[in-house]
């Protein structure tokens, strides 16, 4: 029997449907705590940061906000973005501010093909498909280096410069993380994705680091693709995918493609990890704030609940994480589907079904 554990979570619902799906994820966490025989509990501190906060205060988070959450065990994040606040302000003012300042350099995005969910992929064995994107999360194309300081050229001739930053250390740690992840999977394979034929400096450095690090993992199969060919392979040869590692921008795009092929962005989970555990890691669904459906009670909570499972795994509650993923599959297999995946189930009803499946899982164990 493990020692009793108390986890302190910083909860940032954010904007739009983020507020709705976060509440459903908390319901799942509370269920698990109640069924743990007192072995673990969760304490939730809510922070009202996001676009509404920005419109009232002129900033996406409170002054000293990072200090307020840095001692929590994990951060549970909803979504960011809403009409009236430019996307680059909302993203850089909150999510990226947390990721970069807390050195959450590994972004994990599993691609799951859930039973009962009609995928957009015509593949004879799509129920067996399962891969994970490992995304470099603090540098690359999202380094924020550049400017628009050339307006003196005249009207209509402004020049903007946006630079990518690739460091050998940054490339090596994410590539090594991908290899370590592959070693834990049934099929041990890592695919590296770049655009090094056109990005001849930073991404060539990435390729060179990948070649060097791969020599330390002779038990792991490797291949390398340019991102345009990799996008085609996501559709044409998904059975070849296992662990895919790529830069900030490329993995961001490919993960959305993978989730769309699996049926919906609403089912996609992610983790922003500080593997060194010097700072808390952050867990969020891949989907955005979806203001067009906010408040209608139809948002899909699976991505947020799957992200809670990733959080459980990170906190050492690996059995409970597996139970949640099993319950999600049981719920979709039973035909409980929200509108984005072909059904008419409400947000709350989707979670109710997952909790029902969790009860069945606990009865079996």
């Amino acid at each position: 029997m493990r020692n009793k554990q108390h986890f302190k979570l910083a909860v940032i619902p954010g904007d739009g449907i983020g507020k709705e799906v976060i509440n459903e994820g908390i319901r799942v966490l509370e269920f698990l705590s109640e069924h743990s025989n007192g072995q673990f509990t969760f304490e939730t501190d809510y922070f009202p940061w996001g676009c509404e906060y920005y419109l009232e205060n002129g900033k996406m988070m409170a002054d000293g906000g990072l200090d307020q959450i840095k001692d929590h065990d994990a951060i549970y994040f909803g979504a960011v973005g809403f009409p009236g606040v430019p996307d680059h302000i909302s993203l850089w003012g909150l999510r990226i501010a947390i990721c970069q300042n807390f050195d959450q350099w590994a972004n994990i995005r599993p691609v799951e093909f859930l039973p009962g969910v009609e995928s957009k992929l015509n593949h004879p064995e799509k129920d067996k498909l399962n891969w994970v994107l490992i995304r470099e999360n603090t540098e690359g194309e999202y380094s924020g280096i550049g400017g628009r300081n050339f307006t003196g050229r005249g009207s209509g001739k402004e020049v903007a410069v946006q630079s990518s930053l690739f460091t050998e250390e940054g490339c090596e740690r994410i590539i090594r993380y991908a290899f370590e992840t592959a070693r834990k999977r049934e099929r041990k394979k890592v695919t590296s994705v770049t655009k090094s034929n056109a990005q001849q400096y930073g991404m060539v450095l990435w390729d060179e680091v990948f070649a060097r690090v791969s020599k330390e993992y002779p038990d792991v199969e490797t291949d390398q693709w340019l991102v345009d060919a990799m996008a085609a392979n996501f559709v044409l040869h998904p059975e070849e995918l296992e662990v895919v590692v790529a830069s900030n921008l490329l993995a961001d795009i490919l993960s959305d493609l993978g989730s769309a092929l699996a049926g919906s962005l609403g089912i996609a989970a992610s983790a922003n990890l500080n593997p060194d555990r010097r700072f808390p890691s952050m867990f969020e669904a891949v989907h955005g704030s979806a203001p067009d459906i906010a408040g209608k009670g139809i948002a899909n909570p699976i991505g947020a609940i799957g992200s809670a499972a990733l959080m459980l795994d990170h906190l050492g509650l690996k059995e409970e994480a597996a139970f949640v993923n099993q319950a999600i599959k049981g719920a979709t297999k039973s035909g409980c589907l929200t509108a984005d995946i072909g059904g008419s189930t409400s947000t709350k009803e989707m979670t109710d079904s997952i909790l029902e499946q969790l009860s069945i899982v606990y009865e079996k164990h």
Side-chain angles (χ1 to χ4, degrees):
M1 180 177 294
R2 63 190 174 207
N3 295 327
K4 293 183 179 180
Q5 296 174 284
H6 179 72
F7 299 104
K8 189 175 181 181
L9 307 181
V11 182
I12 307 174
D15 306 311
I17 64 170
K19 301 176 181 179
E20 301 169 46
V21 297
I22 278 292
N23 289 337
E24 304 307 309
I26 295 295
R27 287 178 61 198
V28 172
L29 295 176
E30 290 174 345
F31 177 96
L32 295 170
S33 177
E34 292 168 1
H35 288 74
S36 73
N37 294 319
Q39 292 306 299
F40 60 86
T41 55
F42 297 102
E43 175 185 348
T44 53
D45 293 330
Y46 281 76
F47 297 88
W49 304 332
C51 289
E52 288 184 27
Y53 187 89
Y54 176 85
L55 292 173
E56 293 177 4
N57 300 279
K59 60 194 74 172
M60 289 295 296
M61 70 166 73
D63 291 335
L66 294 173
D67 287 334
Q68 295 179 39
I69 61 177
K70 68 180 177 62
D71 293 324
H72 286 73
D73 294 297
I75 304 163
Y76 195 28
F77 190 89
V80 65
F82 215 74
V85 179
D87 288 342
H88 66 279
I89 290 178
S90 60
L91 185 65
W92 279 93
L94 189 55
R95 183 193 174 277
I96 291 183
I98 294 171
C99 289
Q100 292 194 348
N101 283 282
F102 286 169
D103 201 20
Q104 295 168 348
W105 51 265
N107 182 225
I108 315 303
R109 295 191 172 189
V111 176
E112 297 278 354
F113 287 74
L114 299 175
V117 176
E118 182 180 354
S119 75
K120 308 303 180 184
L121 191 63
N122 182 18
H123 192 276
E125 295 183 307
K126 59 186 175 185
D127 292 339
K128 296 181 180 179
L129 298 176
N130 177 304
W131 69 89
V132 61
L133 271 291
I134 307 293
R135 171 189 177 194
E136 198 292 313
N137 207 37
T138 57
E139 53 179 56
E141 304 88 347
Y142 294 1
S143 299
I145 299 172
R148 296 173 58 179
N149 299 317
F150 303 98
T151 55
R153 292 172 178 264
S155 177
K157 297 182 181 295
E158 182 178 1
V159 176
V161 175
Q162 190 82 44
S163 298
S164 299
L165 174 69
F166 289 87
T167 66
E168 185 172 6
E169 179 184 11
C171 294
E172 179 168 347
R173 66 183 183 179
I174 195 65
I175 288 169
R176 193 174 297 280
Y177 189 94
F179 275 98
E180 293 294 333
T181 300
R183 274 186 168 171
K184 299 173 185 176
R185 294 173 69 91
E186 184 175 350
R187 184 185 185 188
K188 297 173 175 56
K189 180 182 180 181
V190 175
T191 298
S192 175
V193 180
T194 62
K195 188 60 178 171
S196 51
N197 58 342
Q199 302 285 312
Q200 75 270 42
Y201 301 122
M203 290 195 173
V204 168
L205 171 63
W206 177 293
D207 287 344
E208 291 171 353
V209 173
F210 183 80
R212 172 170 59 80
V213 172
S214 65
K215 294 177 182 178
E216 300 179 35
Y217 296 85
D219 55 318
V220 179
E221 179 186 356
T222 63
D223 60 1
Q224 296 175 256
W225 290 87
L226 297 176
V227 65
D228 39 358
M230 190 76 261
N233 275 347
F234 264 49
V235 178
L236 299 175
H237 301 290
E239 70 281 354
E240 293 297 320
L241 306 174
E242 191 66 31
V243 175
V244 179
V245 62
S247 67
N248 216 325
L249 174 63
L250 303 190
D252 191 6
I253 295 169
L254 289 174
S255 67
D256 278 14
L257 173 59
S259 300
L261 292 173
S264 170
L265 289 184
I267 63 176
S270 78
N272 303 287
L273 300 181
N274 171 244
D276 312 315
R277 297 181 184 264
R278 293 180 297 113
F279 299 101
S281 295
M282 181 165 64
F283 303 84
E284 58 173 333
V286 169
H287 64 69
S289 59
D292 56 321
I293 63 169
K296 297 182 179 180
I298 61 173
N300 192 337
I302 289 178
I305 295 172
S307 299
L310 291 172
M311 180 166 62
L312 291 166
D313 185 82
H314 180 72
L315 294 173
L317 303 177
K318 297 185 180 300
E319 184 177 52
E320 287 75 13
F323 286 172
V324 171
N325 287 324
Q326 187 176 340
I328 290 172
K329 292 176 182 177
T332 58
K333 185 177 182 179
S334 73
C336 189
L337 307 171
T338 48
D340 61 307
I341 48 178
S344 58
T345 301
S346 71
T347 305
K348 180 180 181 302
E349 290 169 343
M350 187 75 241
T351 307
D352 289 343
S353 179
I354 292 171
L355 293 176
E356 182 180 345
Q357 292 294 323
L358 265 176
S359 296
I360 295 172
V361 172
Y362 271 98
E363 288 175 4
K364 292 180 179 179
H365 290 79

